[in-house]
């Protein structure tokens, strides 16, 4: 069987060779697009990360495709309807980055609370004054964890270690965990009105698109801080710009943005069918966010630890081996 892996580094290539000789493995550094799909059109199995857009126009080039093993928990970059209609199984990697992402939440939060980026840049220039660098403690602050799944629960554990008051928002309540860790559940509106810090841990779905928008920013306490390590589409970028510019928010820590691909390569906004005026407005809003002194942006890096990456590749290869045995695991879509 032919296995094509996209968005790879050398160590991932070496790891994937563990499947040889049962599989003919091809590793590609670039993202999967129509051009690279044509070059690997005979693949039975493909794997990519989230920067490849696996829509119908790309997937149609793979006439004998049987399995997509995405190296991510999220799968909003894959056209699931197309896969289901063509009998293509889609597997993901659940739970690889719980600790990595949760710790990154607090890296962003502490960076904002103690103005780390400004302080470090100031001393790099030889300035050692403290003017404008006064921060705030996390102890005693209220943090709202929107989405109390695996990552959200790890965030709660860390927050309690900082002696923070924790409110969780989730459709499902784990009352035993709430009692053990010492947090309480509330509605989204109720949590937004009480929280000093809001951190987002929901998947990208039609229901969560722009979950945090104009109305939600208006409900937040003045001076609140927003952290987003979930997906860019969960936050209305234009509304976030207005909330920051108007002083409603004290700051934001963002590891994800809705137009990440365009921000990585701005030439993409000029390609054919690049999007509507609304898409370009959102791109402009994301670009504006990069200029706010009270906004920390990292390049979708929350998952990027040695431990998490090892779990990603190990689970991906295990997913492929399970598929070969006729017992697929971590299945998102099945025929």
């Amino acid at each position: 069987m032919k296995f094509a892996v996209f968005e790879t580094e050398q160590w991932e290539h070496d790891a994937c060779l563990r499947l040889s000789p049962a599989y003919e493995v091809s590793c590609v550094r670039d993202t999967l697009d129509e051009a690279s799909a044509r070059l690997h059109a005979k693949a039975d199995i493909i794997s990519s990360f989230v920067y490849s857009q696996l829509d119908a126009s790309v997937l149609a080039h793979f006439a004998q495709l049987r399995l997509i093993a995405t190296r991510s928990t999220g799968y909003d970059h894959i056209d699931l309807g197309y896969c289901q209609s063509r009998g293509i199984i889609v597997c993901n990697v659940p739970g690889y980055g719980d600790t990595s992402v949760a710790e990154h939440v607090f890296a962003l939060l502490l960076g904002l609370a103690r103005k780390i980026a400004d302080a470090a840049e100031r001393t790099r220039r030889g300035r050692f004054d403290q003017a404008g660098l006064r921060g705030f403690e996390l102890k005693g602050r209220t943090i709202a964890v929107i989405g109390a799944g695996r990552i959200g629960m790890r965030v709660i554990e860390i927050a309690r270690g900082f002696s923070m008051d924790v409110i969780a928002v989730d459709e499902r309540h784990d009352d035993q965990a709430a009692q053990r860790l010492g947090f309480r559940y509330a509605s989204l509106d109720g949590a937004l009105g009480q929280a000093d810090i809001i951190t987002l841990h929901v998947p990208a779905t039609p229901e969560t698109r722009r979950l945090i928008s104009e109305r939600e920013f208006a409900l937040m306490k003045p001076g609140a801080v927003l952290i987003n390590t979930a997906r860019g589409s969960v936050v209305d970028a234009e509304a976030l710009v207005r909330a920051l510019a108007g002083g409603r928010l004290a700051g934001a820590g963002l590891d994800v943005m809705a137009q990440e691909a365009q921000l990585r390569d701005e030439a993409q906004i000029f390609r054919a069918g690049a999007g509507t005026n609304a898409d370009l407005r959102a791109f402009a809003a994301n670009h504006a966010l990069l200029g706010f002194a009270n906004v920390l942006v990292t390049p979708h890096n929350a998952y990027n630890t040695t431990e998490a990456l090892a779990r990603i590749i190990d689970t991906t290869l295990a997913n492929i081996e399970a598929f070969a045995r006729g017992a697929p695991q971590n299945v998102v879509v099945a025929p």
Side-chain angles (χ1 to χ4, degrees), residues 77-98:
H77 57 296
I78 303 171
D79 187 333
L80 300 182
Y82 177 90
C83 293
Q84 192 161 40
S85 69
R86 297 298 193 279
I88 300 167
I89 294 174
V90 179
C91 296
N92 72 339
V93 182
Y96 68 87
D98 303 354

Side-chain angles (χ1 to χ4, degrees), residues 127-168:
R127 286 182 54 195
F128 283 81
D129 64 281
Q130 299 171 349
L133 295 181
R134 185 169 298 160
F136 61 87
E137 295 181 347
L138 300 188
K139 181 179 180 179
R141 301 273 174 169
T142 299
I143 184 170
V145 180
I146 314 301
R150 296 175 62 149
I151 295 173
M153 282 294 178
R154 185 71 186 113
V155 169
I156 290 170
E157 291 174 352
I158 297 171
R160 294 297 293 141
F162 277 103
S163 298
M164 301 182 77
D165 182 33
V166 180
I167 304 172

